[in-house]
Structure formats: structure tokens, C-alpha cells
Amino acid sequence: QVQLVESGGGLVQAGDSLRLSCAASGRTFSNYHMAWFRQAPGKEREFVATINWSGRRTRYLETVKGRFTISRDNAKNTVYLQMNSLSPEDTAVYYCAADTTYGSESRNEYAYWGQGTQVIVSS
């Protein structure tokens, strides 16, 4: 089992930045590829970004490319999502997820999930 706990969400204004963190425990963190998803009210949970176990490979949702950066610190068992130039369209609950397979954009492929952290961006 892998336990994931997100933090760092909040209420910000358009154009602001936030950094989300996801702390992992339970199994060897570096064995897992990590991802961030988000779910806006009334919408499906969507892929945002993913990073492989070493941090050398990443992939992003097209609409966040150039604004969001996913990174990880295996010594701290933590994955991050730096979000810049936030817009109201980024408002959602953000979830981190873990799996032993890299690169999937499907939520169905991830075995472990955190409880989510709310991000609200006001215009």
C-alpha cells in the first residue's frame, strides 16, 4: 500500500501561483511513477501531469504546458506541482496518484490516490 497526502491548495487570484505537494508513505517511493489529476465541479477527473520514477521524464495536459511543472524529491518522498499563471479554468480538486507503470493519462491505470486538495482561482 502507498498512502498519499496532498497539501498546498487554496484560494488565489487569476495570474497567481501555487505549489501543491504530495507526500507518500508506505512503500519505496522511487518505485512509483507519479501523476496529478484534477476534477472540476460537474466534470470528469482529468489528467494534468505525470513524472517517472527518476524525474527525468514528464508529460503534461496540453492546456497546462508552460504554466505547470511537475517534479519530485525521492529523498523526501514527495511529488510537487508548481502552478503558475493560474486561471479560473484551473479551479478544481487536485489529486496525486501513484502506479508502477509510467505515462498513462487514464485515471483507471493508477492504483493509489490521495484525498485531494482544493484549488480555487478567482477572476
Side-chain angles (χ1 to χ4, degrees):
Q1 289 284 346
V2 176
Q3 290 79 44
L4 302 172
V5 179
E6 302 96 333
S7 61
L11 171 63
V12 296
Q13 294 187 333
D16 285 351
S17 298
L18 273 178
R19 188 176 81 156
L20 306 183
S21 299
C22 173
S25 61
R27 292 281 182 93
T28 303
F29 181 65
S30 58
N31 287 346
Y32 292 87
H33 310 295
M34 303 297 295
W36 287 95
F37 285 73
R38 66 186 181 186
Q39 189 166 15
K43 295 188 177 180
E44 296 286 322
R45 191 170 300 188
E46 69 172 351
F47 167 82
V48 175
T50 187
I51 188 166
N52 81 324
W53 71 272
S54 69
R56 293 191 181 98
R57 297 174 66 188
T58 58
R59 182 185 298 174
Y60 295 92
L61 176 69
E62 192 64 33
T63 56
V64 307
K65 280 183 181 178
R67 299 191 298 123
F68 290 12
T69 303
I70 188 171
S71 62
R72 66 189 294 160
D73 185 337
N74 287 344
K76 296 182 177 180
N77 293 347
T78 302
V79 61
Y80 304 98
L81 186 68
Q82 178 67 44
M83 306 186 295
N84 298 330
S85 302
L86 284 161
S87 72
E89 289 69 36
D90 297 315
T91 294
V93 177
Y94 283 71
Y95 299 89
C96 71
D99 202 76
T100 53
T101 301
Y102 171 70
S104 176
E105 297 182 9
S106 169
R107 61 181 180 176
N108 297 323
E109 299 298 320
Y110 288 84
Y112 303 103
W113 292 86
Q115 83 291 345
T117 186
Q118 176 77 58
V119 173
I120 300 173
V121 185
S122 64
S123 58

